[in-house]
Amino acid sequence: MFELILGLPLLGGMVVMGSGWGISAVMFALHAVTLLMSLQHRQSFYGSAAGIVTCLLFSVPVWGMFGHWISAALLLVSMVDRYGAGMPGSFRRS
């Protein structure tokens, strides 16, 4: 997950600053598209919404790290909520 990579203390900062903050615009666009698709298909959207908030508000280096961690965790929870854990015999909602 790229969102989690952006939350790594040194590597994430180098990626963001090396791209001239352009990667933040790319991530914003990706989160916006997935948010619209999630709303259209009536799926959980909190991971995408958290990603948009992270892109907009967490430009401060340390805060951004925690924001990306939270967004990555919410995206993972959203994915597991939709597709299950992928383990045999696990409970899966329809």
Side-chain angles (χ1 to χ4, degrees), residues 28-50:
F28 176 83
L30 290 174
H31 286 303
V33 168
T34 57
L35 176 67
L36 292 174
M37 290 176 69
S38 297
L39 290 173
Q40 182 181 25
H41 295 286
R42 298 178 187 213
Q43 300 296 322
S44 59
F45 60 89
Y46 48 84
S48 297

Side-chain angles (χ1 to χ4, degrees), residues 5-24:
I5 291 172
L6 290 175
L8 294 175
L10 198 55
L11 182 62
M14 288 184 345
V15 169
V16 170
M17 292 184 170
S19 71
W21 298 90
I23 196 69
S24 193

Side-chain angles (χ1 to χ4, degrees), residues 44 46 72-82:
S44 59
Y46 48 84
L74 289 174
L75 286 166
L76 285 171
V77 168
S78 176
M79 181 183 67
V80 169
D81 184 41
R82 171 68 180 126

